[in-house]
C-alpha cells in the first residue's frame, strides 16, 4: 500500500453546522476564497446549512473550493418533510456530503443503518460521501474505540454491494474519524491517537478491498485549530481535516488549510 498515493491529496472540509446568515457567509466565503488562492496543494470543501448552498454555489463556482451538504436523505423523493435528496444536492452543484456525524447520531437518532443507506444513495448520485465515525468518551475510556469504529464502518461496508463499492471508489469516498469526546470540546486527539485509529480504519477498508484502502482519504475531526493542524496532518494516515468551530473564522480556517499544503 502506497501511503503517499496521488489520490490522497490533503483534504480540508469546513462543517459550518447550524451557523451563518447571508451577510456573514458572504464575508467568510470571500475571505476564504482570497486567503486560499495561492494554496492549491490541497482540496477544500465548505458545507454550509442547506439554505445557503445556493449562495455557496454563487460564490464558489469559479474557484477551486468545492461545497457540500451536511446530510442527505436516502430516498429519492416523496413525503419526507424536511428531508433533502442526493439529486437535490447535486442540482445545487454539491460534490460532497457529510454522513453519520455524531450530532446526527446523538441528537437526531440516526443509526449505522441509516448512515449506510444514505451512503449508498450518495454514491449512486455521484456525491462523495464523508462518513463520520468515532467513539464517545465513555467508550474511549472503556477501551472500546476499535469496536465502535469497526461497527460503524462495517455497517456501511456490508450494505454496499460490489457495484456500489465500485461507485464509492469512483467518487473517492472519504472517512472522517471524529472522536465524540473531541468534537466541540477543545480536547483534540493527539497526532499519535489519531494515527492509530486512522490506520485501523484503513485496515478495515482493506478487509473489503486492499487496493481501495490505499487510495481512500481519512480525515480527522475534533477541535482542530491552526496550532494543532500541522502535526495532525503530518501523520501518515491522516489525510486532512473536518473542521467545525474553527471553520467559522476565516483566519483560523485559512491557517488550517495552509497547514495542509
Ligand atoms: P469542532 O472542530 O468544533 O470540534 O467540530 C468538529 C466537527 O464536528 C466537524 O464535523
Amino acid at each position: 500500500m502506497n501511503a503517499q498515493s496521488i489520490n490522497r491529496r490533503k483534504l480540508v472540509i469546513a462543517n459550518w453546522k447550524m451557523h451563518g446568515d447571508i451577510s456573514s457567509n458572504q464575508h467568510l466565503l470571500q475571505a476564504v476564497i482570497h486567503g486560499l488562492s495561492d494554496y492549491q496543494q490541497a482540496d477544500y470543501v465548505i458545507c454550509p446549512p442547506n439554505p445557503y448552498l445556493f449562495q455557496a454555489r454563487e460564490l464558489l463556482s469559479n474557484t477551486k473550493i468545492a461545497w457540500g451538504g451536511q446530510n442527505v436523505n436516502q430516498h429519492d423523493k416523496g413525503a419526507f418533510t424536511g428531508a433533502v435528496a442526493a439529486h437535490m444536492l447535486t442540482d445545487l452543484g454539491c460534490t460532497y456530503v457529510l454522513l453519520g456525524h455524531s450530532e446526527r447520531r446523538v441528537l437526531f437518532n440516526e443509526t449505522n443503518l441509516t448512515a449506510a443507506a444514505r451512503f449508498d444513495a450518495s454514491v449512486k448520485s455521484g456525491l462523495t460521501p464523508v462518513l463520520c465515525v468515532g467513539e464517545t468518551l465513555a467508550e474511549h475510556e472503556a477501551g472500546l474505540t476499535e469496536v465502535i469504529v469497526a461497527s460503524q464502518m462495517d455497517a456501511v461496508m456490508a450494505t454496499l454491494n460490489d457495484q456500489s463499492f465500485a461507485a464509492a471508489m469512483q467518487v473517492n469516498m472519504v472517512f472522517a474519524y471524529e472522536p465524540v469526546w473531541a468534537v466541540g470540546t477543545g480536547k483534540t486527539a493527539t497526532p499519535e491517537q489519531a494515527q492509530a485509529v486512522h490506520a485501523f480504519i484503513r485496515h478495515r477498508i482493506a478487509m473489503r478491498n486492499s487496493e481501495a484502502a490505499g487510495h481512500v482519504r481519512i480525515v480527522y475531526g475534533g477541535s482542530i485549530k491552526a496550532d494543532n493542524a500541522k502535526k495532525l496532518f503530518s501523520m501518515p494516515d491522516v489525510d486532512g481535516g473536518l473542521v467545525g468551530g474553527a471553520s467559522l473564522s476565516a483566519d483560523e480556517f485559512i491557517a488550517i488549510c495552509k497547514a495542509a499544503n
Side-chain angles (χ1 to χ4, degrees), residues 15 17 98 101 103 178 182-185 221-224 242-246:
N15 176 8
K17 307 190 180 183
L98 308 180
H101 192 282
E103 287 150 17
E178 293 211 315
V183 170
T185 60
S223 299
I224 299 187
L242 177 52
V243 188

Side-chain angles (χ1 to χ4, degrees), residues 60 68 120-121 129 143 167 172 174 199 221-222 228 231 234 258:
L60 297 175
D120 203 33
N172 298 316
V174 175
N228 58 30
K231 277 207 174 127
S234 71
K258 286 183 182 173

Side-chain angles (χ1 to χ4, degrees), residues 22-41:
I22 290 176
S23 165
S24 64
N25 296 346
Q26 178 158 349
H27 287 114
L28 181 53
L29 288 171
Q30 281 170 340
V32 168
I33 293 165
H34 179 73
L36 294 181
S37 58
D38 290 335
Y39 294 88
Q40 302 294 336
Q41 302 307 310

Side-chain angles (χ1 to χ4, degrees), residues 29-175:
L29 288 171
Q30 281 170 340
V32 168
I33 293 165
H34 179 73
L36 294 181
S37 58
D38 290 335
Y39 294 88
Q40 302 294 336
Q41 302 307 310
D43 295 330
Y44 313 114
V45 184
I46 309 268
C47 297
N50 285 339
Y52 303 117
L53 285 170
F54 204 85
Q55 185 185 22
R57 179 173 75 163
E58 215 163 77
L59 290 172
L60 297 175
S61 274
N62 294 315
T63 73
K64 294 262 167 64
I65 304 172
W67 58 100
Q70 296 178 9
N71 196 11
V72 73
N73 193 267
Q74 61 270 42
H75 300 287
D76 196 42
K77 62 179 173 183
F80 300 105
T81 301
V84 169
H87 66 86
M88 297 173 183
L89 294 182
T90 57
D91 207 18
L92 282 163
C94 293
T95 45
Y96 287 80
V97 64
L98 308 180
L99 294 175
H101 192 282
S102 57
E103 287 150 17
R104 299 296 320 176
R105 294 176 190 264
V106 172
L107 303 172
F108 298 93
N109 302 319
E110 292 190 13
T111 62
N112 284 337
L113 284 181
T114 56
R118 287 156 201 248
F119 191 101
D120 203 33
S122 300
V123 300
K124 282 182 175 144
S125 290
L127 283 168
T128 299
V130 180
L131 180 76
C132 304
V133 297
E135 81 287 5
T136 63
L137 182 61
E139 290 160 348
H140 181 74
E141 287 175 344
L144 293 173
T145 300
E146 291 193 353
V147 174
I148 297 300
V149 169
S151 69
Q152 293 168 335
M153 299 275 309
D154 293 355
V156 170
M157 292 292 148
T159 301
L160 298 181
N161 61 25
D162 287 346
Q163 197 186 354
S164 292
F165 193 87
M169 283 174 66
Q170 197 73 37
V171 295
N172 298 316
M173 63 180 155
V174 175
F175 289 86

